[in-house]
């Protein structure tokens, strides 16, 4: 059984007593969260986000550099004015270097030029070593970015996957 | 009070009885979800995802084109082999064209060449008109992408924000 069949069954139960169908499109709290795709990260419960309150952007590492398109849409079309950047402990982004990942991909498809060309298009997979350093870097990136509105409140945080606790870095 | 203060308080309550600190990094169900950042989307509860089970990638629209870096890391380093792509009804991506959004950004900063240059770097903000069409497009994109493993199960879905129900498109 593919996992999608489990999720389809779970969703039928969720939808059976769904009563939030009238929520508007813009986030009620005018906030956007940028965080990691990691399976141990679950922003709604870990931060107590109510449905309809916040944009949640998730990518490998929770990297702001990879979230600009999303934040422009969030701010300019849907009115968010606060951004929280979360990275987390024990992140997969601390386990490799771009050059190693390129090697893994190429070694799995020897002589396949389409694969080589596609993976070489990524200058960086945005890995990092120090989680507090990467959060700080991303907050500085957003505060200095010409497309992020100057009046935005931007804070940077680390989520600890062992304790469930967040702590503010910047 | 900034929203982050509310989330900091909420997290203290969450962490006070946290007991999932031993979960491993790779997703237990070997699955990655690609879905929208929309505030009315909340994959964990809507699909019944347990903590530790799935990578969750979220961007404006849930566009696969914007998720390749994440999926390469998810598949090659953390072992996922199934991808579910979700778009949803009443999406912000159906409300604008890239050219209009560029105009909004430029009009807000008249004569600012840094802003003009930054926004012109985006060939497209990946908007769409038809939600079933965009999901199908994204599934085809992933199935044909040289960096997505050939053995991957890829399905495409629409989440209905009025009813809470998902339905499979492809």
């Amino acid at each position: 059984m593919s996992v999608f069949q489990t999720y389809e069954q779970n969703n039928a139960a969720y939808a059976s007593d769904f009563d939030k169908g009238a929520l508007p499109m813009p986030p009620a709290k005018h906030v956007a969260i940028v965080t990691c795709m990691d399976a141990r990260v679950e922003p709604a419960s870990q931060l107590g986000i109510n449905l309809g309150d916040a944009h949640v952007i998730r990518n490998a590492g929770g990297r702001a550099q990879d979230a600009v398109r999303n934040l422009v849409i969030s701010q300019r079309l849907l009115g968010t004015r606060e951004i929280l950047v979360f990275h987390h402990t024990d992140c997969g982004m601390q386990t490799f270097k771009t050059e190693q990942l390129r090697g893994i991909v190429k070694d799995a498809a020897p002589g396949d030029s389409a694969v080589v060309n596609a993976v070489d298009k990524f200058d960086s997979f945005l890995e990092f070593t120090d989680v507090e350093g990467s959060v700080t870097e991303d907050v500085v990136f957003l505060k200095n970015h010409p497309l992020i509105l100057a009046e935005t409140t931007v804070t940077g945080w680390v989520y600890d996957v062992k304790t469930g606790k967040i702590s503010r870095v910047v």
Side-chain angles (χ1 to χ4, degrees), chain A:
Chain A
M1 189 160 104
S2 290
V3 179
F4 74 73
Q5 290 163 298
T6 305
Y7 290 162
E8 200 168 24
Q9 290 168 7
N10 294 345
N11 174 258
Y14 175 84
S16 68
D17 62 353
F18 184 74
D19 61 358
K20 309 272 187 178
L23 288 171
M25 186 189 295
K29 300 290 190 193
H30 311 290
V31 66
I33 314 284
V34 179
T35 190
C36 188
M37 69 180 181
D38 191 283
R40 298 160 297 177
V41 169
E42 207 291 88
S45 57
Q46 289 163 357
L47 302 179
I49 304 171
N50 292 318
L51 201 67
D53 275 1
H55 280 151
V56 180
I57 297 159
R58 299 182 63 177
N59 63 44
R63 299 314 307 257
Q65 298 95 315
D66 207 20
V68 175
R69 177 184 71 88
N70 310 307
L71 291 169
V72 170
I73 292 167
S74 178
Q75 294 202 322
R76 308 303 177 118
L77 299 178
L78 292 161
T80 64
R81 291 295 181 271
E82 180 171 350
I83 302 171
L84 282 73
V85 179
F86 283 88
H87 293 181
H88 66 89
T89 60
D90 192 39
C91 186
M93 303 301 281
Q94 298 169 297
T95 67
F96 72 97
K97 299 289 178 199
T98 287
E99 204 46 48
Q100 293 172 321
L101 180 52
R102 279 209 202 99
I104 290 168
V105 171
K106 290 176 185 179
D107 289 349
D112 188 330
S113 62
V115 170
V116 171
N117 291 339
V119 77
D120 282 344
K121 276 189 191 155
F122 288 93
D123 290 334
S124 169
F125 279 87
L126 305 180
E127 69 271 22
F128 54 80
T129 49
D130 170 48
V131 64
E132 299 199 350
S134 63
V135 165
T136 303
E137 182 184 314
D138 283 18
V139 169
V140 170
F141 171 85
L142 292 176
K143 286 188 171 179
N144 292 329
H145 199 287
L147 296 181
I148 302 300
L149 292 166
E151 66 263 37
T152 309
T153 301
V154 188
T155 53
W157 305 74
V158 170
Y159 173 74
D160 187 322
V161 298
K162 293 228 180 305
T163 65
K165 283 185 192 162
I166 63 170
S167 53
R168 186 169 172 189
V169 177
V170 61

